[in-house]
Amino acid sequence: MADTDLKVMEQHVSQLRIDGKYKEAIEQSFDLLELARDRHDYKTMLTAYAIQAASYYCIGCIEEAFENMDCYYDICQEHGDDYAYINMYNTQFLLFEQTKNYEKAKATLKQSIALSTQMKRFNIASNAYSNFSHIYLEEKKYDQALEMAKKGVDMAQRHQPETPILLMRVKLNMAKAYIGLSDFKEAKAIIDDILGSPVLDQFIREKSQGLDLLGAWYKQQGYYQAAYDTYTQAKELVETYNDVVLLKAIQEERMALCELLEDVTEGYAVQKEYIQVINEINTRDLSLAALKLDVKHSTK
């Protein structure tokens, strides 16, 4: 097989993963891996392992994803460049974060930050700091979360060309940290800046996250009706791209606010919507379970 044919195959397998065809991506990445191994093409071998790991991660096969990253690391030690290590750190973080192994997730982020800063890849460093802030928010360590978010903002501002959405993503964590610290004035200034940007018209996910944050800002201060209305706006946006995890969290907030507002009628309607989301999640989980089984049989 010519190098160009191998490259075409690599692009095809990568596209399968991007398109969400994880079973096909995993199966065909095995073929890609064998061909790359025969040609001693280590770069393509790394790509094949990365695609497998990412695909396994997306269907919830975390153990298999870790196994692929172990193989990736073995090759990376002898044949990988800085970009290969960056890709490895990014994938490892996702796996450790998924399994809530926050200490290992932080260790991976430190490595990613050190290398990406050295390479002057400030966008990668900013994302890593943003993820660091997210981990501290999960642990309710708001001071540390704020510190990491500020460093992420600095890296985003150093990145060229200027990328407003990169800055906004880390600022979302900064605002959340300020809410956790009950510094509502600083939090509101950031939220207003984010939601007032026309850039968000192209990034619906981040806009819905901003509204979700604004709802939390209102709720923490006892403005329950404003919080409910804002969460409703967020819900309507999330429904357009079907992020059931965020939708579930928003509906839980809306149900809690209905109780605080003593609005039984609206609370009943929201509860029905919530049950529908739970059913969607259960259906998705069953489909993933079936896909996992199918993949394990086909890869044997």
Side-chain angles (χ1 to χ4, degrees):
M1 175 179 281
D3 290 341
T4 52
D5 293 333
L6 191 63
K7 191 53 131 179
V8 168
M9 185 177 183
E10 179 185 326
Q11 291 170 348
H12 173 66
V13 177
S14 295
Q15 192 61 48
L16 286 172
R17 186 195 65 78
I18 292 168
D19 293 341
K21 298 176 181 178
Y22 303 121
K23 178 175 181 287
E24 294 90 336
I26 290 167
E27 291 172 346
Q28 294 189 35
S29 64
F30 276 108
D31 297 333
L32 177 64
L33 181 61
E34 289 304 312
L35 289 169
R37 187 179 285 123
D38 290 342
R39 299 182 65 84
H40 303 288
D41 186 335
Y42 297 106
K43 187 174 181 180
T44 302
M45 288 171 67
L46 288 171
T47 300
Y49 277 125
I51 290 170
Q52 282 188 25
S55 299
Y56 276 126
Y57 166 80
C58 288
I59 64 173
C61 292
I62 304 303
E63 183 178 345
E64 288 81 355
F66 270 118
E67 287 174 0
N68 275 274
M69 288 315 297
D70 284 342
C71 296
Y72 184 105
Y73 176 69
D74 289 341
I75 297 172
C76 208
Q77 280 189 301
E78 292 199 26
H79 305 285
D81 57 14
D82 288 341
Y83 291 100
Y85 274 97
I86 284 289
N87 289 333
M88 181 181 72
Y89 295 144
N90 289 342
T91 305
Q92 284 180 329
F93 165 75
L94 290 174
L95 296 175
F96 288 132
E97 196 266 343
Q98 175 73 21
T99 55
K100 299 192 182 301
N101 191 334
Y102 292 147
E103 292 311 309
K104 284 193 175 181
K106 290 175 193 172
T108 301
L109 289 172
K110 286 178 183 177
Q111 292 173 304
S112 178
I113 289 166
L115 183 53
S116 56
T117 304
Q118 176 187 320
M119 296 167 63
K120 299 189 185 304
R121 294 298 301 270
F122 300 120
N123 57 328
I124 297 174
S126 179
N127 281 329
Y129 276 121
S130 184
N131 286 329
F132 225 134
S133 180
H134 165 72
I135 293 296
Y136 279 129
L137 287 169
E138 289 292 302
E139 295 177 328
K140 302 189 185 305
K141 296 177 180 178
Y142 300 115
D143 284 317
Q144 293 96 320
L146 181 59
E147 179 187 356
M148 290 296 138
K150 285 180 176 179
K151 290 180 179 179
V153 166
D154 176 60
M155 289 294 170
Q157 290 171 336
R158 293 170 67 181
H159 175 66
Q160 293 297 326
E162 184 179 338
T163 310
I165 192 61
L166 180 67
L167 186 60
M168 287 182 190
R169 283 170 180 154
V170 70
K171 278 190 170 183
L172 285 166
N173 284 335
M174 182 183 285
K176 194 168 184 179
Y178 275 126
I179 292 174
L181 293 167
S182 298
D183 191 338
F184 299 113
K185 183 179 178 181
E186 288 292 340
K188 187 63 159 58
I190 295 170
I191 293 169
D192 286 346
D193 179 56
I194 292 170
L195 292 177
S197 172
V199 172
L200 283 197
D201 292 337
Q202 304 170 49
F203 297 93
I204 303 301
R205 183 182 298 274
E206 284 74 14
K207 188 171 185 177
S208 62
Q209 289 171 343
L211 287 168
D212 177 57
L213 202 53
L214 181 58
W217 185 86
Y218 281 127
K219 184 184 176 185
Q220 288 293 320
Q221 297 173 89
Y223 305 133
Y224 299 137
Q225 187 60 58
Y228 181 80
D229 294 341
T230 305
Y231 276 123
T232 300
Q233 284 182 271
K235 174 191 82 85
E236 291 167 354
L237 270 182
V238 173
E239 286 173 336
T240 65
Y241 64 90
N242 198 32
D243 182 340
V244 289
V245 175
L246 179 55
L247 188 58
K248 175 177 176 286
I250 289 172
Q251 293 291 57
E252 286 170 351
E253 292 291 349
R254 292 178 77 227
M255 284 194 299
L257 286 162
C258 283
E259 188 173 344
L260 290 167
L261 290 165
E262 299 181 353
D263 191 334
V264 177
T265 303
E266 189 67 13
Y268 177 70
V270 174
Q271 191 173 47
K272 285 177 66 178
E273 293 174 352
Y274 179 73
I275 291 170
Q276 184 178 350
V277 174
I278 294 298
N279 288 337
E280 286 182 34
I281 291 173
N282 289 339
T283 300
R284 186 194 65 174
D285 289 346
L286 285 171
S287 297
L288 278 178
L291 181 57
K292 287 180 197 177
L293 191 61
D294 194 10
V295 166
K296 285 182 178 181
H297 280 302
S298 65
T299 55
K300 279 183 179 179

